[in-house]
Structures are given as structure tokens and as C-alpha cells.
Amino acid sequence: MAQVMAELAELEDPRAREVNERHGDDHGVNLGKLRALAKRLKTQQELACRLWETDDSAARLLATLICRPKAFERDALDAMVREARTPKVRDWLVNYVVKKNPHCEELRLAWSADPDPVVASAGWALTTERVTKKPEGLDLPGLLDVIEAEMKDAPDRLQWAMNHCLAQIGIEHAELRARAIDIGERLEVLKDYPTSPGCTSPFAPVWISEMVRRQQDKTGA
């Protein structure tokens, strides 16, 4: 444990920290180097749990890479998502751990209805995953109803997660595409978000149209 924490300290880069802090993160570790360290350590569940307990963001990011996702109980993951203080730690926890855990669907439903908008955003992230990979059983028109009613005034993190879900419904489900685009156009969420050259705008109508165009180019449709 001491050796790993010392290695993380050595990976600290003040310039990386400065960039990360603009996004609400509080670590200065290059993520490529962090992944290389995780690859060397391999899976170590006990060490991962101890790293998480440090409350250090770099240590927690490493923990999500070396843990055994299926080993966590539901309540442990619920506590962890509430303890995760920064966007990157929450994103990695949801994507690398919760999505691979047998309690994922139960947590998706519970978190989506949580009064804490940060926890609710984790529930929406899991819903977006299902929209894309396993939509059977989801009430997609119902999700659009909620997005239409609540996204405009939602706090930032929750708004971003709902907007991602809106875009994925439009991209993946042609029968709902026109409605998804219409909701995006009327709500204008992230319409003026600054987008770097070569990147796709997170404004849902643009995002949907661009991704559908790419899919059609691939298939020749």
C-alpha cells in the first residue's frame, strides 16, 4: 500500500492537476501512466478497497482499475457512489465497476430516483448504457417524457447525463429519432457548448445527426 501511494505521488504533475481542476477533478496523475500502473498491479481486491478508503482521487481511480467489480455488495457500491467527490472518480466507478456488477440494474433504478442529482446522474448513465446495449424492457417513450419535463432545469451533472440519454435514444432508435431531435431543439440544452474542432457537439440534435450520418457512411445506407 505504501509503495503504491508513493508511486502515485511520483506520477503527480502540476500541469495535469491544473487542467483537471478546471473540470472539477483534484488529481494530477496522467491517466495513461495510471493505467500502466494498474496493468502492472493486476487485480487485487483487498488493495483496491484500501486505496478507496484513502479518499485520495488518484488512489480511487486506481482502485476502480484493479478491483473485482463482481465482488462488491449492493450497499457498498451505493456508499461508494455517494463518497466519490469528483466527476472522474464517479465516472470510472460507474463505467468500470458498477456496470459489471450483478446489482447494476437494481442500482440503476434506485439511483435514477435519488433526490441527490449527482447520484441520479449515475442512474441515468446506467440507463444510457441500457438504451444502447440492452433496451429490451425499457420504456423509451417514458424516458423521453421525463427528459422533456426535467432536463432543462436539472443541475449540471444530471442535465449532462439526461442529455446523453436523449442523444443515445435518438441515435439508436430510429422510430424515436424525430421526437428526440425535437426535444433537443426546443429545450436548447448545451446548444452553445464550446466544442473543439473535430469534436462532435453535445447539443443533442447535432450529436444525433452526426452519429447517424457516420453509421450510414459505414453501412453505405
Side-chain angles (χ1 to χ4, degrees), residues 117-219:
V118 172
V119 176
S121 72
W124 277 91
L126 294 173
T127 297
T128 301
E129 177 82 354
R130 273 205 59 188
V131 165
T132 305
K133 295 185 177 178
K134 194 181 176 184
E136 298 77 20
L138 281 181
D139 177 9
L140 297 176
L143 287 174
L144 290 178
D145 290 343
V146 175
I147 291 167
E148 189 171 16
E150 300 178 12
M151 182 172 73
K152 181 79 171 177
D153 299 317
D156 286 353
R157 292 289 299 174
L158 180 54
Q159 185 184 71
W160 190 273
M162 293 174 89
N163 183 69
H164 189 185
C165 190
L166 173 65
Q168 286 304 125
I169 291 173
I171 292 163
E172 301 291 340
H173 301 278
E175 72 281 7
L176 295 170
R177 187 168 297 147
R179 186 183 172 201
I181 290 173
D182 178 63
I183 290 170
E185 286 174 343
R186 281 186 289 107
L187 299 186
E188 297 188 334
V189 168
L190 300 174
K191 184 176 182 178
D192 299 319
Y193 191 85
T195 305
S196 303
C199 296
T200 302
S201 169
F203 179 46
V206 175
W207 189 353
I208 293 167
S209 299
E210 174 61 17
M211 297 310 292
V212 169
R213 182 190 66 75
R214 290 185 195 178
Q215 289 174 355
Q216 291 172 343
D217 285 350
K218 277 185 182 177
T219 61

Side-chain angles (χ1 to χ4, degrees), residues 29-166:
V29 176
N30 176 286
L31 297 181
K33 292 178 179 177
L34 187 76
R35 291 179 188 278
L37 174 58
K39 192 173 181 180
R40 201 175 79 237
L41 290 170
K42 298 180 180 175
T43 303
Q44 297 192 51
Q45 178 68 6
E46 184 182 345
L47 177 58
C49 291
R50 290 174 66 195
L51 287 168
W52 185 269
E53 289 165 5
T54 64
D55 195 29
D56 175 83
S57 288
R60 284 184 162 179
L61 290 171
L62 181 59
T64 67
L65 297 176
I66 66 167
C67 71
R68 281 200 308 277
K70 293 179 181 177
F72 291 102
E73 295 297 330
R74 178 204 181 282
D75 290 348
L77 291 175
D78 185 67
M80 289 165 76
V81 85
R82 296 171 196 279
E83 293 164 359
R85 296 175 292 98
T86 64
K88 184 65 72 176
V89 172
R90 280 192 297 270
D91 289 347
W92 282 27
L93 176 65
V94 169
N95 286 306
Y96 300 153
V97 184
V98 180
K99 285 180 181 179
K100 300 174 184 177
N101 184 274
H103 301 289
C104 177
E105 180 62 12
E106 185 184 346
L107 288 168
R108 181 186 76 82
L109 294 169
W111 288 346
S112 295
D114 199 277
D116 183 334
V118 172
V119 176
S121 72
W124 277 91
L126 294 173
T127 297
T128 301
E129 177 82 354
R130 273 205 59 188
V131 165
T132 305
K133 295 185 177 178
K134 194 181 176 184
E136 298 77 20
L138 281 181
D139 177 9
L140 297 176
L143 287 174
L144 290 178
D145 290 343
V146 175
I147 291 167
E148 189 171 16
E150 300 178 12
M151 182 172 73
K152 181 79 171 177
D153 299 317
D156 286 353
R157 292 289 299 174
L158 180 54
Q159 185 184 71
W160 190 273
M162 293 174 89
N163 183 69
H164 189 185
C165 190
L166 173 65

